[in-house]
Amino acid sequence: MATDPTPSMIAEIIAVGSEMLTPYRQDTNSLAMTAELNKLGVTVAFKTILGDTFQHLVDAAKIALTRADIVLFSGGLGPTEDDLTREAVASALGVGMTRNETVVEGLKQRFAKRGLVIQEINFKQADVIDGAKLLPNPNGTAPGQWMATEYGGKPRYIALLPGPPKELLPMFVEQVRPRLQQVIPRLHIAYRWLRMAVVPESEVDARTSPIYLSYPDVSTTILSTGGEIQLHFLCAKPTLEEAQERVDEVLSKCEHEMMDSVFSADGESLEQVVLLMLGMRHLTLSTAESCTGGLIAERLTAVSGSSRSFLGGAVVYSDELKALFADVPKELIQKHGAVSDPVARAMAEGIRARIGSDLAIGVTGIAGPGGATLNKPVGRVYIALADAEGTQVRELNLSGDRERVRWFASQYALVMLRQKLLS
Amino acid sequence: MATDPTPSMIAEIIAVGSEMLTPYRQDTNSLAMTAELNKLGVTVAFKTILGDTFQHLVDAAKIALTRADIVLFSGGLGPTEDDLTREAVASALGVGMTRNETVVEGLKQRFAKRGLVIQEINFKQADVIDGAKLLPNPNGTAPGQWMATEYGGKPRYIALLPGPPKELLPMFVEQVRPRLQQVIPRLHIAYRWLRMAVVPESEVDARTSPIYLSYPDVSTTILSTGGEIQLHFLCAKPTLEEAQERVDEVLSKCEHEMMDSVFSADGESLEQVVLLMLGMRHLTLSTAESCTGGLIAERLTAVSGSSRSFLGGAVVYSDELKALFADVPKELIQKHGAVSDPVARAMAEGIRARIGSDLAIGVTGIAGPGGATLNKPVGRVYIALADAEGTQVRELNLSGDRERVRWFASQYALVMLRQKLLS
């Protein structure tokens, strides 16, 4: 599923905070940091998540310093009794801390400005691990720390970062990344990805793995997420040209292999791609949705500027509304049922005529869990796409729960629209 | 933010798989397992995420067995060279493995049935750590393993579970949980939660912390997520009655304090609550959405059975569609602008009359990033709610990006509807 060229250095990310050990919260900081580290040619080999317990923290820091070249801590830098990352890292390294008077003054002034009396405990945030450098935090009160040191005779790079993503990410990108770049063997990284819709992951893997496995110097990851398959390619080389050339080559071979399913080689979403194609062709679109209940309209209008091509539509759940807004004849519904090829067709044609758009989508189906009949199981969906030349209808038999059926129905509708615009 | 009574046992969850060390994937199995463990009175103190490297796995298993009573592994049980969890745990414990002939036979038969020749490597899945018990996997091929043993002279409980959530969760709930219940000091757990909409987390915390902090035996967690604040209460006692009484007491005090903002004390979503209230009152609803682009209709129709109360609506992005589907007079838009109190009002009243629903919502606003004017900044939204007695309009000035403005607009619309139905 994934190939991984030998990395130059490995990193461990340690997320500190009891809330991330509840069923409700996850560490998310590590994802963006991993993306940045990978682009430096660094592999994240371990992630540890633990709470605000001093001895746990000290032990985890020692373990990480033993097994990783780069150790990044997030969280536990605030002013409360629970914030123990500074103390624990100093203890793990066997060094002391020194209070930075400039930071103390800054804290005093900030409190005085608001007319507050500062409590002694706040000054913890000014404690700097001996040998470390303070990282200013323009987005919060707790500064970070950076340290290049040795542990067990090996070079180690350590960063202590605040937990809130809006403080951590800028500090990592602006202050830690450049320092890492100076100590990491210089490599240039090229990265691109392919996005495909409604094709099975196993098929993509079977068709593209003979290609990407012949590029052992390109790290390839295949991902499946909500009716979309992604192929990510990353290559590290002494020059950017070399790296870019390898990534472009494997990407274009995979793109050629998967031709019809690929909707984007530059990162755009499926919604963005169809809106772009509509815009370029000066075409407008409307929708009449039954089982998707507004999901297609919602996905399109989530894109800024969508109003240039998407005029709007109707959510026609009941038979009455199918008649009222999309002029679907009552008799047609009586004869074929609301979930049928002719009704989907009439919905698309009706909303298109009513709104006066160039193209129109009509969707009717059984999202479940209720609503199934003898002939029509849950997951049966009809999608119609109408334009001046006529109307095409596609019958789907989707599996999964209500949410999955609705999402895949919207996904297939957008894919149908894209294929129409391609032809 | 959270209080935590002293736990009886601590657990570590180890997620094995290189894909969880990419920027694209996270371990999610640990969340559901944590919820179940907490209900047994067990605290998750550590989570470790690591790749398919044998020595890393052995070391991580040893570290976990040193610091946690219960160690749960997910992933790495498949038939490939990369699946090393079994081997690593046996090595960490210093014991061997024995091939289970029943599992071997089962694998042979499964392959023969499909007319496939089985490769030797598949039999790895039949290797059982000496002293462990096999856990059948009705949802996949790789069986799990359970072991009650000692490490460093202390009792240790170990489970090896397959990575796919659809295999892991049933195996954990049906086979591991009952075994843990037998070895954990018996406590009964009560758990309830409160859900509140569009109220600041800091306000909820300021008003409820004096209450929940006086219940040190109840673990309280406050969470903020997309226009919703949740208060989770969990209590472990020798009898269920004692635990339930404590949770009910702190919950009802907090509910009383937050009165108007609480929409659910039993877990229902805001959409479910308003649909339930509409249903009980035999009232119907329709929507005319501009800036939310179908999001309100989508959220309502995501609930199974919503068609009983929600008739449908229109996505009226352009001025023409506001006239066509909601009978908004052109002159009104010319005079006040499409984003205005009178237009929102006309949208709600127009769609209500057209569809013949008891209630109707109209939403118009500037979701951004474009579209702002001198008088109307990004985030300005008007929500109108019409019924037979008249129409109320609320002006909002929301902050954040397009996605946040749209989501909060939909959230406020549902809250307004709920308050109307309460009154």
Side-chain angles (χ1 to χ4, degrees):
Chain A
M1 292 305 234
T3 59
D4 195 9
T6 315
S8 51
M9 280 197 188
I10 70 165
E12 172 155 354
I13 299 174
I14 301 184
V16 184
S18 300
E19 73 281 5
M20 283 175 298
L21 296 168
T22 67
Y24 322 112
R25 276 280 158 82
Q26 278 194 289
D27 151 54
T28 52
N29 286 327
S30 66
L31 298 179
M33 284 199 284
T34 299
E36 292 296 335
L37 288 166
N38 291 352
K39 287 181 197 163
L40 297 177
V42 174
T43 296
V44 176
F46 304 94
K47 295 196 218 177
T48 298
I49 300 156
L50 76 175
D52 312 299
T53 306
F54 183 70
Q55 198 53 49
H56 288 176
L57 270 165
V58 175
D59 293 341
K62 286 182 183 172
I63 291 164
L65 288 164
T66 308
R67 64 190 179 185
D69 305 292
I70 297 164
V71 183
L72 303 172
F73 294 85
S74 68
L77 296 186
T80 78
E81 298 283 358
D82 276 352
D83 292 302
L84 296 165
T85 304
R86 275 177 296 263
E87 291 83 339
V89 174
S91 169
L93 291 168
V95 301
M97 293 199 289
T98 306
R99 191 151 289 182
N100 181 302
E101 287 307 321
T102 315
V103 177
V104 168
E105 274 313 302
L107 287 166
K108 279 186 184 163
Q109 283 174 17
R110 193 175 306 150
F111 273 70
K113 241 185 213 168
R114 298 190 210 152
L116 298 168
V117 179
I118 192 161
Q119 304 289 320
E120 174 64 22
I121 193 158
N122 282 283
F123 296 129
K124 280 175 54 142
Q125 295 177 89
D127 290 342
V128 187
I129 300 168
D130 291 346
K133 197 182 149 26
L134 270 183
L135 305 176
N137 182 354
N139 306 302
T141 61
Q145 303 197 22
W146 161 265
M147 201 170 176
T149 183
E150 287 204 346
Y151 191 85
K154 289 177 190 156
R156 291 296 183 245
Y157 305 98
I158 305 170
L160 280 64
L161 299 161
K166 283 182 184 170
E167 301 178 27
L168 175 137
L169 291 177
M171 192 183 285
F172 181 78
V173 170
E174 289 155 28
Q175 301 188 65
V176 176
R177 190 175 61 179
R179 287 183 168 88
L180 286 172
Q181 273 170 321
Q182 285 178 2
V183 296
I184 289 169
R186 208 170 254 305
L187 282 177
H188 290 268
I189 309 288
Y191 167 73
R192 287 184 68 188
W193 55 315
L194 281 182
R195 303 179 72 169
M196 287 154 270
V198 297
V199 53
E201 180 177 359
S202 55
E203 185 189 327
V204 175
D205 201 36
R207 288 169 61 185
T208 61
S209 62
I211 301 168
Y212 67 69
L213 287 175
S214 69
Y215 289 76
D217 53 342
V218 176
S219 163
T220 302
T221 307
I222 179 166
L223 283 179
S224 163
T225 165
E228 179 176 332
I229 308 292
Q230 302 169 352
L231 272 172
H232 297 258
F233 306 99
L234 193 141
C235 182
K237 291 283 176 187
T239 70
L240 185 59
E241 289 67 32
E242 285 173 86
Q244 197 66 60
E245 193 182 2
R246 294 294 284 167
V247 161
D248 289 347
E249 197 177 296
V250 64
L251 178 136
S252 69
K253 281 188 191 169
C254 290
E255 186 178 13
H256 187 259
E257 172 60 37
M258 298 307 301
M259 197 72 93
D260 274 4
S261 306
V262 173
F263 64 81
S264 161
D266 296 296
E268 305 95 342
S269 69
L270 186 53
E271 298 87 326
Q272 285 175 315
V273 167
V274 296
L275 285 166
L276 207 69
M277 292 171 84
L278 287 168
M280 282 175 2
R281 289 160 181 72
H282 303 287
L283 295 171
T284 57
L285 174 73
S286 63
T287 50
E289 301 182 61
S290 181
C291 67
T292 46
L295 179 56
I296 299 172
E298 194 276 318
R299 287 181 64 177
L300 290 168
T301 58
V303 179
S304 175
S306 49
S307 56
R308 276 191 291 274
S309 308
F310 180 65
L311 301 182
V315 178
V316 290
Y317 232 46
S318 64
D319 294 351
E320 290 71 26
L321 283 196
K322 287 182 182 72
L324 184 68
F325 283 147
D327 301 308
V328 178
K330 280 267 162 70
E331 312 78 60
L332 201 70
I333 296 176
Q334 274 157 14
K335 190 169 168 197
H336 301 281
V339 177
S340 61
D341 177 313
V343 167
R345 184 182 298 269
M347 285 166 66
E349 291 172 355
I351 199 82
R352 179 175 174 271
R354 186 70 81 87
I355 291 184
S357 59
D358 299 304
L359 291 143
I361 292 169
V363 184
T364 178
I366 303 164
T373 65
L374 265 182
N375 302 324
K376 287 165 191 164
V378 167
R380 172 70 58 85
V381 176
Y382 295 91
I383 301 177
L385 178 62
D387 71 356
E389 290 162 17
T391 305
Q392 54 182 122
V393 183
R394 180 159 179 187
E395 178 187 302
L396 302 173
N397 291 289
L398 300 167
S399 62
D401 61 11
R402 184 175 180 85
E403 189 185 342
R404 189 178 186 278
V405 169
R406 284 159 51 98
W407 181 263
F408 272 78
S410 75
Q411 195 74 345
Y412 274 97
L414 294 177
V415 166
M416 238 172 113
L417 175 59
R418 179 178 163 272
Q419 279 161 349
K420 178 84 195 169
L421 292 167
L422 276 180
S423 66
Chain B
M1 293 306 234
T3 60
D4 195 9
T6 316
S8 53
M9 279 198 190
I10 69 165
E12 171 155 354
I13 300 174
I14 301 184
V16 184
S18 301
E19 72 282 6
M20 284 176 296
L21 296 168
T22 67
Y24 322 112
R25 276 280 159 81
Q26 278 194 291
D27 151 57
T28 53
N29 286 327
S30 67
L31 298 178
M33 285 199 282
T34 299
E36 293 297 334
L37 289 165
N38 290 351
K39 287 178 195 164
L40 297 176
V42 174
T43 296
V44 176
F46 304 94
K47 295 196 218 176
T48 299
I49 299 156
L50 77 174
D52 312 301
T53 307
F54 183 70
Q55 198 52 48
H56 289 176
L57 271 163
V58 175
D59 293 341
K62 286 182 182 172
I63 291 165
L65 288 164
T66 308
R67 64 190 179 184
D69 306 293
I70 298 164
V71 183
L72 303 171
F73 294 84
S74 68
L77 297 185
T80 77
E81 298 283 359
D82 276 352
D83 293 302
L84 297 165
T85 304
R86 277 178 295 262
E87 292 84 339
V89 174
S91 169
L93 291 167
V95 301
M97 295 199 289
T98 306
R99 191 151 290 184
N100 181 302
E101 287 307 322
T102 315
V103 177
V104 168
E105 273 314 304
L107 287 167
K108 279 185 185 162
Q109 283 173 20
R110 193 174 305 148
F111 273 70
K113 239 186 215 166
R114 299 190 209 150
L116 298 170
V117 179
I118 191 161
Q119 304 292 321
E120 174 65 22
I121 194 156
N122 283 282
F123 297 128
K124 279 176 55 142
Q125 296 177 92
D127 290 342
V128 187
I129 299 168
D130 291 346
K133 200 185 146 27
L134 268 184
L135 306 176
N137 182 356
N139 305 302
T141 60
Q145 303 197 24
W146 161 264
M147 201 173 178
T149 184
E150 288 204 345
Y151 191 86
K154 291 179 188 153
R156 292 294 183 248
Y157 306 98
I158 305 170
L160 280 63
L161 299 161
K166 282 179 184 170
E167 302 177 29
L168 175 138
L169 292 176
M171 190 182 286
F172 181 77
V173 169
E174 289 155 28
Q175 303 188 66
V176 176
R177 191 176 60 179
R179 289 182 165 88
L180 286 173
Q181 273 171 324
Q182 285 177 1
V183 296
I184 289 168
R186 209 170 251 305
L187 282 176
H188 291 269
I189 309 286
Y191 167 73
R192 287 185 68 188
W193 55 314
L194 281 182
R195 302 179 72 169
M196 288 154 271
V198 295
V199 52
E201 179 177 1
S202 55
E203 186 188 327
V204 176
D205 200 37
R207 288 168 62 185
T208 60
S209 62
I211 301 169
Y212 68 69
L213 288 176
S214 69
Y215 288 77
D217 54 341
V218 177
S219 163
T220 301
T221 307
I222 180 168
L223 283 180
S224 165
T225 166
E228 179 176 333
I229 307 293
Q230 303 170 351
L231 273 172
H232 297 258
F233 306 100
L234 193 141
C235 182
K237 292 280 178 192
T239 72
L240 185 60
E241 291 66 33
E242 285 175 86
Q244 196 66 60
E245 193 183 2
R246 294 294 283 168
V247 161
D248 288 348
E249 198 177 297
V250 65
L251 178 135
S252 68
K253 281 188 191 170
C254 290
E255 186 177 13
H256 187 259
E257 172 61 37
M258 299 307 303
M259 198 70 93
D260 275 4
S261 305
V262 173
F263 64 81
S264 163
D266 296 295
E268 305 96 341
S269 68
L270 185 53
E271 297 87 329
Q272 286 174 316
V273 167
V274 298
L275 286 165
L276 208 68
M277 293 171 85
L278 287 168
M280 284 177 359
R281 288 161 182 73
H282 303 288
L283 294 172
T284 56
L285 174 71
S286 62
T287 50
E289 302 183 61
S290 180
C291 68
T292 47
L295 180 56
I296 299 172
E298 193 277 318
R299 289 182 63 177
L300 291 167
T301 57
V303 178
S304 175
S306 49
S307 56
R308 278 191 290 275
S309 307
F310 180 64
L311 301 183
V315 178
V316 290
Y317 232 46
S318 64
D319 295 351
E320 290 71 27
L321 283 197
K322 288 182 182 74
L324 184 70
F325 283 147
D327 301 311
V328 178
K330 281 267 162 73
E331 312 77 60
L332 201 71
I333 296 177
Q334 273 156 16
K335 191 168 166 198
H336 301 281
V339 176
S340 62
D341 177 312
V343 168
R345 183 182 299 268
M347 285 165 66
E349 292 173 355
I351 199 84
R352 180 176 173 272
R354 184 69 81 89
I355 291 186
S357 60
D358 298 306
L359 291 142
I361 291 169
V363 184
T364 178
I366 302 162
T373 65
L374 264 182
N375 302 323
K376 287 165 190 163
V378 167
R380 171 70 58 83
V381 176
Y382 294 91
I383 301 178
L385 179 61
D387 71 357
E389 291 164 17
T391 306
Q392 54 182 124
V393 183
R394 182 158 178 188
E395 178 187 302
L396 301 173
N397 290 289
L398 300 167
S399 62
D401 61 12
R402 184 175 180 87
E403 188 183 344
R404 188 178 186 278
V405 168
R406 282 160 51 100
W407 181 263
F408 272 77
S410 75
Q411 194 76 344
Y412 273 98
L414 295 176
V415 165
M416 240 172 112
L417 175 60
R418 180 178 161 271
Q419 279 162 349
K420 178 83 194 172
L421 292 167
L422 278 178
S423 67

